Amino acid sequence: MVEIFEKNPKALPFGDDVSAVEISKDLLMILKSDMLVGKTHVPPGMTLRQAARKAVVINVSDFAAKGVKPLAVSASIGFPAHFSDRDVRQLAEGLNDGAREYGAYVIGGDTNEAEDLVIACSIAGICKKGEIITRSGCKPGDVVAVTDHFGTTGAGFKLLFEGVSVPRSLRNKILEPVYVPKARLREGLALARSGAVTASIDSSDGLAWSLYELQRASKVGFLIDTLPLSPEAMEFAKVSGADPFELVFYGGEEYELVVSVNKEKWALARDSVEKIGGRLVRIGVAVEEPELVFKRGAEEMRLEPRGFEHFR
Amino acid sequence: MVEIFEKNPKALPFGDDVSAVEISKDLLMILKSDMLVGKTHVPPGMTLRQAARKAVVINVSDFAAKGVKPLAVSASIGFPAHFSDRDVRQLAEGLNDGAREYGAYVIGGDTNEAEDLVIACSIAGICKKGEIITRSGCKPGDVVAVTDHFGTTGAGFKLLFEGVSVPRSLRNKILEPVYVPKARLREGLALARSGAVTASIDSSDGLAWSLYELQRASKVGFLIDTLPLSPEAMEFAKVSGADPFELVFYGGEEYELVVSVNKEKWALARDSVEKIGGRLVRIGVAVEEPELVFKRGAEEMRLEPRGFEHFR
């Protein structure tokens, strides 16, 4: 439906993690809206406070991917008539949690009666024109990297929706990022400052999908040679028999950054993230041929542009 | 729930028509979010395109009241699984209509599956610090004025929800602003430029409610001596026996501006609006005593701080 909107000549093209529009010769205003719907985005066991916090964090994650600081949060909340005052307060606490955790503030919003819980957050910020990292700057030869390992959230969904059972301590470790996802804002800001990153996206729709979007926007291909499997997902795979490859690439609702880095500046990029206590994991390389392939030893397979489908 | 949010020292206090935060020594970033819920905000007979347009216009109206240009629209839409592609296109068309009509552009957003139609729009803009007109600057002696007459929308709701019947030509005239509400953006911008307005609010929750909010924020009272009854509402009252006073003050979903004007600058303010083809109607005066009273001849009554309840 994007083709229906008349294009603002001073705005970034549609289809990046955030929207941006020129407000002066040097400055961009950044805007991002994403809606959390109770039925499809709030897994069983998640509190209202956690849900509202998550509604903020999913938008912060997009700012992180672009290397831009989120400044102001505005939230429209719809909730069923049976919600108590205490429920509504929990939602407000969660919005405040999500904003303050990343240095932003909730500055406005409204509440409405609705059929189901709906939390629509918008975040606004400002950055200098050259500073934003788009999805389209990757060149063949660039290193492809992620800010941490994957698979834990995918394992979490298997626990919650497929009745898979694992020891309690592993279960708790796995469900933590499902209920309290973190945005990689400090990593994104450090990477932007490093000047080494050529393109970036967050991984909310799954790693394979994010890689696909990034290579498509940059008109390159990716040869992925490393499976960035988290220790929790590895343990889960052992206990449950789940496929690690599936967990890593098609898990979804993970908020790592997926970036391409100029190979001459790889050390600079990695050091910039390690300096703030994060990590940058090399998983492959950008190539000319516009394909998305995973290749490790004799294993070789095409990664499907198949995204994470929100649970129903 | 507003007290839960940690205050940003660089933001305007909560409780105005829009949120605003300093982004430099001279500039404010303005942000406004409002959600339109199918069940409570979309009256029978309204098309999806009109509904989406309205979701933008209700936010533009808040910019109008502050004298600030809306720049960028971001929208999160939730809709039931049975919506067709054509339905979704209609929604996109409506968002584009609402934005372009007021010089803004849709620059981003997302779609989600939800139980009911929910359109959450956020609008962002920029203004110089001194330019925004808040709700709190009215002083005793100021003239109280509105940008047009009231009552038509209230009459419309009686047509739609109470089965009142009137001649077709009157019905059409009355329903027009229900389905295609207009924001008084040109008026608001002209008034802001005039420098004559001391406080301003839009009237989406009904005239009485808006007057109440404005006098409360400014710590003054209002003595209203004129009933700004629209010709359509007058005709409707005659035909149906409805109370014109009720239609004007408690109708709701009208998007006129309610402003206070420095009395020395009244002619300046009125001329500024007339010059762009609008009008400014004096309805009363601000007084010391913090009361909200309607007085015309021997008639005198207190206006109740009772807002428009969205139709269920």
Side-chain angles (χ1 to χ4, degrees):
Chain A
M1 75 186 216
V2 156
E3 71 286 357
I4 289 169
F5 302 128
E6 194 177 327
K7 302 295 171 288
N8 182 342
K10 294 189 171 178
L12 236 67
F14 278 86
D16 214 305
D17 295 66
V18 301
S19 308
V21 60
E22 278 181 36
I23 54 168
S24 73
K25 204 157 49 73
D26 312 312
L27 290 179
L28 293 176
M29 179 168 66
I30 311 297
L31 194 57
K32 174 68 191 186
S33 303
D34 213 340
M35 181 183 270
L36 184 147
V37 177
K39 192 176 60 161
T40 46
H41 297 81
V42 181
M46 177 178 266
T47 67
L48 287 175
R49 184 166 179 168
Q50 287 172 337
R53 177 189 167 281
K54 178 180 168 185
V56 178
V57 172
I58 59 180
N59 286 295
V60 171
S61 177
D62 290 303
F63 272 72
K66 304 297 103 180
V68 179
K69 268 190 196 157
L71 194 59
V73 176
S74 184
S76 289
I77 307 185
F79 49 82
H82 66 75
F83 267 43
S84 69
D85 282 359
R86 191 170 168 280
D87 290 337
V88 179
R89 289 183 64 89
Q90 291 292 307
L91 291 171
E93 297 275 10
L95 293 176
N96 189 62
D97 290 347
R100 296 306 301 135
E101 200 173 311
Y102 298 97
Y105 289 89
V106 179
I107 66 165
D110 70 317
T111 56
N112 302 272
E113 192 184 319
E115 296 281 334
D116 187 18
L117 175 65
V118 178
I119 310 174
C121 269
S122 287
I123 302 191
I126 299 289
C127 75
K128 290 203 183 130
K129 258 190 204 172
E131 282 177 1
I132 188 169
I133 308 170
T134 68
R135 292 182 178 179
S136 57
C138 176
K139 297 270 176 279
D142 286 355
V143 175
V144 180
V146 292
T147 47
D148 205 347
H149 295 85
F150 285 75
T152 309
T153 310
F157 292 148
K158 285 190 181 290
L159 288 178
L160 292 174
F161 298 104
E162 297 178 19
V164 177
S165 163
V166 299
R168 177 187 290 266
S169 67
L170 177 58
R171 183 181 169 90
N172 290 345
K173 269 193 286 184
I174 287 174
L175 290 182
E176 171 71 18
V178 173
Y179 293 137
V180 189
K182 306 273 186 187
R184 295 295 188 188
L185 182 62
R186 299 179 68 229
E187 287 80 352
L189 296 176
L191 285 167
R193 275 195 307 268
S194 79
V197 174
T198 55
S200 174
I201 188 173
D202 91 338
S203 58
S204 51
D205 296 321
L207 178 56
W209 186 260
S210 300
L211 288 167
Y212 169 72
E213 289 283 356
L214 202 62
Q215 56 123 137
R216 204 175 55 129
S218 287
K219 301 186 175 65
V220 296
F222 289 155
L223 187 64
I224 305 301
D225 55 26
T226 303
L227 189 71
L229 181 66
S230 75
E232 294 79 16
M234 192 186 297
E235 207 179 329
F236 176 83
K238 265 190 218 145
V239 175
S240 71
D243 177 5
F245 186 88
E246 191 76 16
L247 289 175
V248 164
F249 285 109
Y250 305 108
E253 297 248 332
E254 275 167 313
Y255 296 92
E256 301 301 333
L257 306 184
V258 182
V259 302
S260 60
V261 178
N262 180 317
K263 74 173 171 200
E264 314 293 334
K265 299 181 179 167
W266 167 251
L268 187 66
R270 194 194 47 207
D271 292 354
S272 75
V273 177
E274 288 180 354
K275 205 169 287 173
I276 55 101
R279 57 178 131 180
L280 196 62
V281 183
R282 183 203 167 286
I283 61 167
V285 64
V287 295
E288 292 270 357
E289 189 66 29
E291 287 183 340
L292 182 53
V293 174
F294 178 77
K295 190 173 176 180
R296 188 174 55 174
E299 264 184 297
E300 177 168 341
M301 64 186 96
R302 196 175 299 273
L303 290 175
E304 296 165 39
R306 141 162 85 88
F308 166 67
E309 288 283 321
H310 285 289
F311 36 93
R312 296 279 154 84
Chain B
M1 76 185 214
V2 157
E3 72 284 358
I4 289 168
F5 302 127
E6 193 178 325
K7 301 294 170 289
N8 182 341
K10 293 189 172 177
L12 236 67
F14 278 88
D16 214 304
D17 295 65
V18 300
S19 308
V21 61
E22 277 181 35
I23 53 168
S24 73
K25 204 157 49 71
D26 312 312
L27 290 179
L28 293 175
M29 180 168 65
I30 311 296
L31 194 56
K32 173 68 191 186
S33 303
D34 212 338
M35 180 183 271
L36 184 147
V37 178
K39 192 176 59 163
T40 47
H41 296 81
V42 181
M46 178 178 264
T47 66
L48 287 175
R49 184 167 178 168
Q50 287 171 337
R53 178 189 167 280
K54 179 180 168 184
V56 178
V57 172
I58 59 180
N59 286 296
V60 171
S61 177
D62 290 304
F63 272 73
K66 305 295 103 180
V68 179
K69 268 190 196 156
L71 193 59
V73 176
S74 183
S76 289
I77 306 185
F79 50 83
H82 65 74
F83 267 42
S84 69
D85 283 358
R86 192 172 168 278
D87 291 337
V88 178
R89 288 184 64 90
Q90 291 293 308
L91 292 170
E93 296 275 10
L95 293 175
N96 190 62
D97 290 345
R100 294 306 300 136
E101 201 174 310
Y102 298 98
Y105 290 88
V106 178
I107 65 165
D110 71 316
T111 56
N112 303 272
E113 193 185 319
E115 296 280 336
D116 187 17
L117 175 64
V118 178
I119 310 173
C121 271
S122 287
I123 303 191
I126 298 289
C127 75
K128 291 203 182 130
K129 257 190 203 170
E131 281 177 0
I132 188 169
I133 308 170
T134 68
R135 292 183 179 180
S136 58
C138 177
K139 297 272 176 281
D142 285 355
V143 175
V144 179
V146 292
T147 47
D148 205 345
H149 296 84
F150 285 76
T152 309
T153 310
F157 292 148
K158 284 190 183 291
L159 288 178
L160 292 173
F161 298 105
E162 298 177 18
V164 177
S165 163
V166 299
R168 179 188 290 263
S169 67
L170 177 59
R171 183 181 168 90
N172 289 346
K173 270 193 286 184
I174 286 174
L175 291 182
E176 171 70 18
V178 172
Y179 294 137
V180 189
K182 306 274 185 186
R184 294 295 188 187
L185 182 62
R186 300 178 68 228
E187 288 80 353
L189 296 176
L191 285 167
R193 275 195 307 269
S194 78
V197 173
T198 55
S200 175
I201 187 172
D202 90 338
S203 58
S204 51
D205 295 321
L207 179 55
W209 185 261
S210 300
L211 288 166
Y212 170 72
E213 289 284 355
L214 202 62
Q215 57 121 137
R216 204 174 56 127
S218 286
K219 301 187 174 67
V220 295
F222 290 154
L223 188 64
I224 305 302
D225 55 27
T226 302
L227 190 70
L229 180 66
S230 74
E232 293 79 17
M234 192 186 296
E235 207 181 329
F236 176 83
K238 265 190 216 144
V239 175
S240 70
D243 177 5
F245 185 89
E246 191 77 16
L247 289 175
V248 165
F249 285 110
Y250 305 109
E253 296 248 334
E254 274 167 314
Y255 296 91
E256 301 301 332
L257 307 183
V258 182
V259 302
S260 60
V261 177
N262 181 315
K263 74 174 168 198
E264 315 293 335
K265 299 182 180 166
W266 167 250
L268 187 66
R270 195 194 45 206
D271 292 353
S272 75
V273 177
E274 288 180 355
K275 205 168 288 174
I276 57 101
R279 55 177 136 182
L280 197 62
V281 182
R282 182 202 168 285
I283 60 167
V285 63
V287 296
E288 293 269 359
E289 189 66 28
E291 286 183 342
L292 182 53
V293 173
F294 177 78
K295 192 175 176 181
R296 185 173 58 174
E299 263 185 297
E300 178 168 341
M301 63 187 94
R302 196 173 298 274
L303 290 174
E304 295 165 41
R306 141 162 87 87
F308 166 67
E309 289 283 323
H310 284 289
F311 36 92
R312 297 277 154 84

